[in-house]
């Protein structure tokens, strides 16, 4: 529900639609230059879908795909300046959403909720 709310908040305030999966991939490459293979391993999305999302993000000018130095086979990915701006604006939107939740239920409850969500559920 929070992911949907966060996505809707972005899409209501921006002309550029960015899916939750694209945000997830962007979070894995923010301030880094991982290879596409590393990104694929670190997201819970199939390799083929990850490649598709990256191509879509490249078309939206959010990322740039480059050759890896001394390796003609692998490609690395980096957020563009525009991609960084979008990611940082979205982080600010999520922070304001978190503040609204904290104002409603209390800061201690938010800390407790985060602790529960980060714990091992044994599933």
């Amino acid at each position: 529900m929070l992911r949907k709310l966060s996505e809707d908040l972005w899409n209501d305030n921006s002309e550029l639609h960015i899916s939750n999966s694209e945000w997830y991939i962007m979070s894995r490459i923010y301030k880094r230059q991982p290879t596409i293979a590393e990104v694929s391993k670190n997201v819970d999305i199939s390799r083929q879908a990850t490649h598709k999302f990256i191509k879509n993000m490249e078309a939206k000018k959010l990322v740039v795909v480059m050759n890896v130095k001394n390796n003609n086979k692998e490609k690395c990915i980096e957020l563009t300046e525009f991609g960084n701006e979008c990611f940082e604006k979205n982080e600010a939107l999520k922070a304001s959403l978190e503040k609204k939740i904290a104002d409603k239920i209390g800061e201690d409850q938010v800390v407790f909720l985060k602790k529960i969500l980060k714990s091992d559920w044994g599933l």
Side-chain angles (χ1 to χ4, degrees), residues 88-106:
E88 289 165 1
K89 284 179 187 175
N90 190 53
E91 288 296 299
L93 285 172
K94 290 192 308 187
S96 71
L97 181 60
E98 185 176 318
K99 182 173 177 357
K100 285 180 185 177
I101 293 168
D103 290 346
K104 193 74 168 176
I105 68 172

Side-chain angles (χ1 to χ4, degrees), residues 22 25 29 35-36 39-40 49-60 63-65 77:
E22 290 170 330
I25 292 169
I29 62 176
T35 64
I36 293 176
V39 172
S40 294
T50 302
H51 279 271
K52 182 179 174 185
F53 283 123
I54 290 171
K55 285 212 174 286
N56 289 340
M57 292 164 64
E58 193 173 24
K60 294 176 184 178
V63 299
V64 61
V65 177
I77 183 171

Side-chain angles (χ1 to χ4, degrees), residues 11-68:
N11 290 329
D12 291 345
N13 291 297
S14 175
E15 292 181 16
L16 180 65
H17 175 80
I18 301 175
S19 71
N20 276 322
S21 296
E22 290 170 330
W23 286 121
Y24 186 46
I25 292 169
M26 289 172 72
S27 74
R28 297 294 184 224
I29 62 176
Y30 181 66
K31 302 278 187 188
R32 299 180 56 233
Q33 286 186 338
T35 64
I36 293 176
E38 290 170 337
V39 172
S40 294
K41 288 177 190 172
N42 291 316
V43 295
D44 194 23
I45 305 170
S46 72
R47 187 179 63 79
Q48 294 85 354
T50 302
H51 279 271
K52 182 179 174 185
F53 283 123
I54 290 171
K55 285 212 174 286
N56 289 340
M57 292 164 64
E58 193 173 24
K60 294 176 184 178
K61 309 280 190 233
L62 295 169
V63 299
V64 61
V65 177
M66 305 167 289
N67 290 327
V68 175

Side-chain angles (χ1 to χ4, degrees), residues 61-92:
K61 309 280 190 233
L62 295 169
V63 299
V64 61
V65 177
M66 305 167 289
N67 290 327
V68 175
K69 290 180 184 175
N70 303 321
N71 186 336
N72 294 330
K73 187 177 176 184
E74 289 194 273
K75 303 275 187 197
C76 66
I77 183 171
E78 180 180 30
L79 289 177
T80 62
E81 187 175 324
F82 177 64
N84 278 311
E85 288 173 20
C86 290
F87 184 79
E88 289 165 1
K89 284 179 187 175
N90 190 53
E91 288 296 299

